[in-house]
């Protein structure tokens, strides 16, 4: 929780610094010193790195509640979205069915690309930078691969893992969907 609060304070300081830069640029513009107007703005923008949200799909899909939450969080906190689909391949099954596995991988990629379109369009409408990645490994391994490829991931958003739920009466009133958000910083 402390890291999250620190991040909010950092964002607030950043907003204050931006206001100072804009005021400096306005002052130069009012003094007809146009050659100095862009300098305060360019210097700070080079130093800033937008935060990145890693949104983990459920197989080749992204549930609507997770998409809505990720878009709202990215918009509110000025983050980029990196959407990731995962399909774990077991070593034994991969060796036994290598030719059919390649076909399945291609089908998974195509299905994931089709299913990501709506999410991508919604992000585009809100001017949220968006990237998509597909990994053929367990989720934990895929997250590490993504961190190596894309650098710092600030937050991960995912749904609950499906578990066998018995048909007992007491389980029917439990919430069926959960969204997990955790920090990677």
């Amino acid at each position: 929780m402390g890291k999250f609060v620190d991040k909010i304070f950092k964002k607030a300081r950043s907003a204050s610094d931006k206001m100072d830069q804009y005021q400096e640029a306005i002052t130069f513009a009012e003094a007809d010193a146009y050659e100095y107007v862009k300098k305060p703005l360019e210097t700070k923008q080079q130093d800033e790195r937008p935060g990145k949200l890693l949104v983990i799909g459920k197989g080749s899909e992204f549930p609507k509640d997770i998409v809505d939450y990720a878009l709202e969080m990215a918009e509110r906190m000025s983050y980029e979205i990196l959407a990731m689909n995962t399909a774990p391949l077991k070593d034994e099954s991969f060796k036994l069915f290598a030719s059919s596995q390649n076909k399945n991988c291609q089908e998974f990629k195509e299905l994931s690309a089709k299913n990501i379109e709506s999410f991508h369009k919604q992000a585009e409408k809100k001017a949220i930078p968006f990237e998509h990645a597909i990994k053929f490994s367990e989720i934990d391994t895929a997250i590490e691969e993504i961190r190596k490829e894309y650098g710092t991931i600030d937050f991960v958003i995912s749904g609950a893992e499906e578990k066998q739920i018995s048909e007992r009466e007491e389980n029917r009133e439990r919430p069926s969907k959960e969204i997990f958000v955790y920090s990677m910083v």
Side-chain angles (χ1 to χ4, degrees), residues 153-172:
I153 302 294
D154 296 292
F155 289 98
V156 176
I157 300 175
S158 68
E161 291 292 319
E162 293 256 345
K163 294 186 173 120
Q164 293 287 343
I165 298 174
S166 72
E167 292 297 322
R168 292 184 293 177
E169 189 64 35
E170 70 231 26
N171 288 331
R172 290 193 180 146

Side-chain angles (χ1 to χ4, degrees), residues 105-133:
C105 289
Q106 187 58 36
E107 288 174 3
F108 183 81
K109 285 179 183 180
E110 290 169 4
L111 188 57
S112 295
K114 179 183 171 195
N115 291 338
I116 198 73
E117 288 175 7
S118 173
F119 191 3
H120 187 206
K121 286 178 184 174
Q122 290 178 59
E124 215 170 50
K125 284 180 186 174
K126 296 179 181 238
I128 298 170
F130 188 92
E131 292 182 72
H132 181 227

Side-chain angles (χ1 to χ4, degrees), residues 37-78:
V37 171
K38 290 184 180 179
K39 274 189 179 177
L41 300 176
E42 289 174 352
T43 307
K44 188 65 176 178
Q45 288 174 352
Q46 292 171 355
D47 297 340
E48 293 180 4
R49 177 197 66 82
K52 197 173 293 267
L53 295 177
L54 175 62
V55 183
I56 300 174
K58 186 176 179 180
S60 65
E61 299 176 349
F62 287 90
K64 183 180 178 349
D65 56 341
I66 290 177
V67 168
D68 292 343
Y69 189 90
L71 289 168
E72 190 270 328
M73 184 175 177
E75 185 176 38
R76 186 172 22 95
M77 298 183 76
S78 301

Side-chain angles (χ1 to χ4, degrees), residues 13 27-28 31 79 81-82 104 107 112 117 122 131-132 139-140 142 149 162 166 183-184:
R13 275 182 259 136
T27 303
F28 283 128
Y79 279 7
I81 291 178
L82 172 57
N104 290 340
E107 288 174 3
S112 295
E117 288 175 7
Q122 290 178 59
E131 292 182 72
H132 181 227
I139 290 176
D140 293 340
E149 290 175 39
E162 293 256 345
S166 72
S183 175
M184 296 292 289

Side-chain angles (χ1 to χ4, degrees), residues 3-20:
K3 289 182 182 181
F4 182 71
V5 172
D6 290 341
K7 189 153 192 96
I8 291 188
F9 281 123
K10 185 178 178 183
K11 287 272 186 193
R13 275 182 259 136
S14 175
S16 176
D17 290 346
K18 281 183 183 178
M19 290 303 294
D20 291 343

